[in-house]
C-alpha cells in the first residue's frame, strides 16, 4: 500500500474542491486507518432509508475523492 500525505500547500490547493462532507469522510478514514466502502456508506451516507441510493452516493463521493488524490 502506498502512503500519501498532503503537504500544506497541496491541501490549500485542494481545499476549494472539498466539501464539508468530504472533510468528514476523510477524517473518519484517517481516524479508523482501515475502513471498507460498506462501512463508510453506513457511517457517512445513511441519509435516506434507501440503501441503494446511499451506496451510489458513497461510491460517487469516494470516486471523486480518489480522483482528487
Amino acid at each position: 500500500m502506498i502512503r500519501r500525505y498532503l503537504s500544506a500547500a497541496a491541501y490549500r490547493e485542494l481545499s476549494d474542491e472539498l466539501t464539508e462532507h468530504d472533510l468528514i469522510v476523510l477524517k473518519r478514514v484517517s481516524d479508523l486507518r482501515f475502513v471498507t466502502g460498506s462501512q463508510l456508506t453506513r457511517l457517512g451516507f445513511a441519509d435516506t432509508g434507501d440503501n441503494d441510493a446511499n451506496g451510489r452516493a458513497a461510491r460517487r463521493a469516494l470516486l471523486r475523492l480518489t480522483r482528487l488524490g
Side-chain angles (χ1 to χ4, degrees):
M1 180 169 87
I2 298 172
R3 287 190 171 214
R4 293 180 52 189
Y5 296 95
L6 284 178
S7 66
Y11 175 76
R12 282 191 299 275
E13 189 176 304
L14 280 176
S15 66
D16 292 339
E17 298 183 51
L18 297 174
T19 66
E20 185 176 332
H21 193 256
D22 292 339
L23 295 173
I24 290 168
V25 169
L26 292 172
K27 173 83 170 106
R28 286 197 171 136
V29 170
S30 176
D31 289 346
L32 296 171
R33 300 285 185 182
F34 182 84
V35 62
T36 67
S38 296
Q39 290 168 327
L40 275 176
T41 299
R42 287 191 305 271
L43 287 170
F45 297 91
D47 296 338
T48 69
D50 184 354
N51 289 336
D52 291 336
N54 295 339
R56 285 190 301 273
R59 285 189 295 279
R60 277 193 310 270
L62 296 174
L63 178 61
R64 192 172 137 298
L65 290 171
T66 301
R67 287 180 176 161
L68 287 172

